[in-house]
Amino acid sequence: MSAINRALADLSTKSASTDSVLVKAEVKPVKSTRIVAWVVASFTTSLAVGGWAISQQVPSAPLYHFEPVEALATADVSPTSKTSVVSSPMYLASNDPLAASQSSQTESAPIKAVQSHSQSAPIAKTQPQVVESSVNHTLVSASTNKVVASQAQQGQVVIEHVALTPQQLADKASERAKKALDSNNLSQALDAYNQALRYTPNDSDIRQRLAALYYGKGEVRKAAETLQKGIALDSDNIDLRLALAKMLLKEQQNPAALTVLSALPEHASIEYLSLRAALAQKQKQDQLALESYSQLVEREPQSGRWWLGLAIQQERAFDLAAAKSSYRQALTKLGISSQSQQFIRDRLALIGRLEEQAQ
């Protein structure tokens, strides 16, 4: 206890001595301008850091076109220097609608975003267009700075009206008729061929098919009328005349068949001339027969049949000298049977006797 008491006594003695020598300290007042400078510098630094943090939050998608950020012009940060903030463009906003929403967030920050002086023209809103054209038209989609000329542009539907020729329509109807015949649908085939004839009334092939269908169905009158209408449209049509004449021959109407063949087209075929000559000779239409056989001999001089027919017609016309020459030509040509050869010899003997009597 004595040691503790002694220590306490020493402390009290030292405290008494220090109280007696207390001296007032002189402290120089701090200028207020230095405190303001530090506050401005701290505020400027916080603004710069905040602007950098906001710029880092902008998405990396191509909604904005970033430009180099100009450095903040600041003086040396010290208690005695002044600081200033220079407003500079942090980024350039594009015309995209999403950029507008992002720009509204950046405007709330203290740093200003300067808009670009060279703004692009507003993008025109384009909608799908439907264009009708009978020919290949050029589709033009115009905006402020660009004209798009393309027929197959995405978002557009092109409708073309192709005008088929009468021949093409007739061909399609003929195809339907053939398919109907393959399906044994006669009525549908008749309708299709009639439709084809309305498109191409001068098509002799379709007309003959239609007439054959009518004739096969037993409608002879309709078949004959169909062919007669074609002949009325083209009087020199050899195929239609032959078809009608053969049909009439099957119906045992030889005079009517010869009437059909009475006309002599300029480029009549051998078949046409031979049928015409045979019918005229059988019906004793000597002038028609003589005319027909004369042309047949000119076209096929090696055929004995034509020489024989010509000789018979010349004998009927009492041109015995010409008939005798034609009979002799027939004996030397091809296509004469043994019976025809005997007939020719008999006619030659008869002509010889007639010439002797005439002398």
Side-chain angles (χ1 to χ4, degrees):
M1 292 298 293
S2 61
I4 295 173
N5 292 331
R6 194 180 301 112
L8 292 173
D10 292 338
L11 288 174
S12 62
T13 303
K14 291 179 179 181
S15 62
S17 62
T18 55
D19 292 338
S20 60
V21 293
L22 289 176
V23 181
K24 182 179 179 181
E26 293 181 4
V27 180
K28 295 180 180 181
V30 180
K31 294 181 180 181
S32 60
T33 57
R34 295 181 180 179
I35 297 175
V36 174
W38 278 101
V39 171
V40 172
S42 301
F43 181 71
T44 305
T45 304
S46 65
L47 288 180
V49 174
W52 176 81
I54 291 173
S55 65
Q56 292 298 321
Q57 294 178 357
V58 178
S60 60
L63 295 176
Y64 301 95
H65 301 286
F66 289 95
E67 300 291 341
V69 180
E70 297 180 4
L72 295 175
T74 59
D76 293 336
V77 180
S78 65
T80 60
S81 62
K82 296 183 181 180
T83 61
S84 61
V85 180
V86 179
S87 299
S88 60
M90 297 299 295
Y91 62 89
L92 299 179
S94 67
N95 291 326
D96 193 277
L98 295 177
S101 62
Q102 294 291 339
S103 62
S104 63
Q105 297 177 1
T106 57
E107 287 177 359
S108 62
I111 299 176
K112 297 180 181 180
V114 180
Q115 191 173 7
S116 174
H117 293 287
S118 59
Q119 294 182 351
S120 61
I123 300 175
K125 296 182 179 180
T126 59
Q127 297 180 352
Q129 302 176 357
V130 179
V131 181
E132 289 192 9
S133 61
S134 57
V135 196
N136 292 331
H137 289 299
T138 303
L139 304 177
V140 180
S141 175
S143 63
T144 305
N145 299 324
K146 185 170 76 171
V147 177
V148 180
S150 175
Q151 187 176 12
Q153 189 177 5
Q154 186 177 6
Q156 293 181 346
V157 179
V158 178
I159 301 175
E160 293 184 358
H161 294 285
V162 179
L164 297 179
T165 62
Q167 184 61 48
Q168 291 174 333
L169 293 172
D171 293 340
K172 290 182 177 294
S174 298
E175 289 296 329
R176 292 195 299 271
K178 292 178 182 178
K179 292 179 180 180
L181 288 176
D182 293 338
S183 302
N184 295 324
N185 193 337
L186 183 59
S187 60
Q188 187 175 356
L190 289 171
D191 293 339
Y193 276 130
N194 277 309
Q195 185 178 8
L197 275 183
R198 286 195 292 270
Y199 294 127
T200 54
N202 290 326
D203 194 327
S204 60
D205 185 54
I206 295 177
R207 191 173 292 276
Q208 289 180 68
R209 292 180 184 179
L210 180 60
L213 289 179
Y214 278 131
Y215 187 78
K217 192 179 178 182
E219 299 180 5
V220 181
R221 183 179 293 275
K222 281 189 176 182
E225 289 177 354
T226 301
L227 294 174
Q228 285 175 351
K229 288 179 181 179
I231 294 171
L233 293 173
D234 185 7
S235 60
D236 292 334
N237 195 305
I238 299 171
D239 295 332
L240 293 178
R241 288 184 178 275
L242 273 175
L244 182 56
K246 291 178 180 179
M247 184 185 300
L248 294 173
L249 285 175
K250 290 182 180 179
E251 297 298 317
Q252 303 298 321
Q253 298 182 18
N254 295 352
L258 181 59
T259 302
V260 174
L261 298 176
S262 61
L264 185 61
E266 183 178 358
H267 302 287
S269 62
I270 297 296
E271 183 182 9
Y272 186 89
L273 290 173
S274 62
L275 184 58
R276 182 177 186 262
L279 281 174
Q281 195 172 60
K282 189 174 182 179
Q283 297 295 321
K284 295 183 180 181
Q285 297 290 331
D286 296 330
Q287 186 60 36
L288 291 178
L290 181 62
E291 183 183 17
S292 301
Y293 280 120
S294 297
Q295 291 196 13
L296 287 170
V297 167
E298 291 178 1
R299 294 192 182 184
E300 293 184 350
Q302 299 300 323
S303 176
R305 292 173 55 196
W306 312 144
W307 283 107
L308 177 58
L310 179 60
I312 293 173
Q313 291 306 130
Q314 289 171 343
E315 185 180 359
R316 288 182 178 180
F318 298 101
D319 191 355
L320 299 180
K324 184 178 179 179
S325 176
S326 297
Y327 278 130
R328 288 175 179 175
Q329 287 287 340
L331 285 174
T332 61
K333 304 302 179 182
L334 300 176
I336 299 298
S337 62
S338 57
Q339 293 179 355
S340 297
Q341 290 177 358
Q342 185 60 42
F343 174 79
I344 291 173
R345 292 188 183 96
D346 294 340
R347 301 313 298 178
L348 284 173
L350 179 60
I351 290 174
R353 291 194 297 269
L354 291 174
E355 287 177 346
E356 290 176 357
Q357 290 176 4
Q359 292 177 356

